[in-house]
Amino acid sequence: MSTTWDTVVREVLDHARRAAGGGAALALALRSADVGPESGTYSESAVSNWIKGRARPPADVVLAAASIYGLSLDTRLGLASEMDGEGAGDVAELRGALQRLEKLVFERLTPPSDDATFSTRDVRGVFPTRSEAQAAMPVLRTLATSERVDAMGLSLNALCQGVSDVTLAELVENGLTLRCLFLDPNGAATAAREVEEEQPAGHLAELTRANMLAVARLRKRLSSEARGRVQVRTYDEPVRFNITRFDGARALVQPYLPRLRGLDAPTFLIEADEAHPHGLFPIFEAIFDETWERADVVGN
């Protein structure tokens, strides 16, 4: 029933968005129906995440969208009775359908009992600092057992300074694909982070440039075939997370916090889990993929 309900929710909200003329317009229509967060109005990205299945919308959003745009949840859930023209207006049949729908919504919204264990969803580990995460999952060992590594952050020190050029070149020659997404050392976001970390002006920029040169040096070591497996891009946006994804199945995620260096920030080990399609892994996977698509290519 969960899969059926999630599919219907996405379909109804997609129809409502198109009928409203866009996600922002749908959010305003919901606000007019007194449905919205405490801050006022849902964002367009929130609507998009509901439709794409990255987040689950509140039940009042679904019911309001269906009511505003005349979309039948009952029919889409297969609960509508097969009635001929004469029976279509039968009050008893309609009341029964409504009761079944109300029961379904109640089952979906019933909170867990007080003694229920809180779920960690797809989070497999929490480390107080990045250093402790690296101690538990050494960079070299993790790279050696991976076929594809995607890394984004500021200077990517763990990757660029934690493994020798010779070893990294050998891993790439043996099939490792490496995608590096650096914060643009010449961009405004790097300068802003230097201020936030109370670093001297240009300190983080120079560190990033040094690490990007290390990757360029690595590419020169590689055969022409292997060179294509090392890709570098830069982005100039507020740096929020350091994300390293392994084989599209697990990720180390670390937030950038005020005044703290990356090494001192808590780090989370998250794994893809089919049992939790709305967990954290798809969120951070989308952050990397979308940032990568917007980023500027470095080198050939």
Side-chain angles (χ1 to χ4, degrees):
M1 183 62 74
S2 175
T3 300
T4 301
W5 173 255
D6 290 342
T7 300
V8 168
V9 165
R10 292 196 295 271
E11 178 184 328
V12 166
L13 291 178
D14 186 38
H15 277 278
R17 179 175 64 175
R18 286 189 274 115
L26 174 57
L28 289 175
L30 292 171
R31 181 69 274 173
S32 298
D34 293 326
V35 175
E38 294 182 0
S39 58
T41 305
Y42 289 112
S43 66
E44 187 172 5
S45 62
V47 175
S48 178
N49 286 335
W50 295 335
I51 294 171
K52 293 179 179 179
R54 293 175 182 163
R56 182 170 295 158
D60 58 349
V61 167
V62 182
L63 296 176
S67 175
I68 293 170
Y69 298 103
L71 304 172
S72 172
L73 289 171
D74 197 28
T75 299
R76 286 172 170 80
L77 288 167
L79 300 178
S81 300
E82 294 184 22
M83 299 180 290
D84 56 24
E86 295 180 357
D90 188 278
V91 175
E93 291 289 345
L94 292 176
R95 183 178 291 115
L98 179 59
Q99 289 174 346
R100 290 193 296 273
L101 179 58
E102 289 177 342
K103 180 180 178 181
L104 174 64
V105 173
F106 176 79
E107 290 173 351
R108 296 289 295 164
L109 297 181
T110 300
S113 60
D114 293 339
D115 59 351
T117 303
F118 287 102
S119 170
T120 56
R121 291 183 176 265
D122 48 4
V123 177
R124 299 292 182 258
V126 179
F127 304 92
T129 65
R130 188 199 302 171
S131 299
E132 293 190 32
Q134 291 174 355
M137 297 179 60
V139 176
L140 179 56
R141 186 180 68 190
T142 306
L143 290 174
T145 57
S146 301
E147 295 182 359
R148 178 176 183 143
V149 175
D150 297 326
M152 73 171 286
L154 203 162
S155 301
L156 306 187
N157 287 334
L159 179 64
C160 298
Q161 298 182 23
V163 184
S164 73
D165 291 358
V166 174
T167 301
L168 197 52
E170 182 179 354
L171 292 173
V172 175
E173 290 287 359
N174 288 332
L176 174 66
T177 295
L178 188 62
R179 295 198 297 175
C180 302
L181 188 51
F182 292 93
L183 192 66
D184 186 352
N186 301 315
T190 292
R193 183 59 189 176
E194 288 174 340
V195 173
E196 192 170 41
E197 285 192 17
E198 301 177 347
Q199 299 280 5
H203 175 75
L204 295 179
E206 286 303 315
L207 179 58
T208 302
R209 291 190 189 99
N211 287 345
M212 291 177 67
L213 286 174
V215 177
R217 186 172 61 246
L218 165 69
R219 296 185 80 248
K220 290 181 180 179
R221 287 177 171 269
L222 300 173
S223 64
S224 58
E225 178 185 357
R227 194 172 299 132
R229 290 197 288 271
V230 178
Q231 302 173 42
V232 179
R233 296 188 182 185
T234 60
Y235 66 109
D236 185 19
E237 302 174 13
V239 59
R240 295 186 175 93
F241 299 102
N242 183 298
I243 302 172
T244 306
R245 180 174 59 182
F246 307 99
D247 293 332
R250 55 166 40 186
L252 282 173
V253 176
Q254 164 232 314
Y256 285 96
L257 302 177
R259 293 185 298 280
L260 285 180
R261 294 187 311 155
L263 282 172
D264 299 322
T267 304
F268 307 92
L269 172 62
I270 306 171
E271 294 183 350
D273 189 342
E274 293 183 358
H276 296 290
H278 302 293
L280 298 186
F281 186 85
I283 295 175
F284 291 107
E285 184 173 49
I287 290 174
F288 180 92
D289 291 340
E290 292 170 5
T291 307
W292 179 265
E293 289 302 317
R294 294 193 299 268
D296 296 323
V297 177
V298 177
N300 297 318

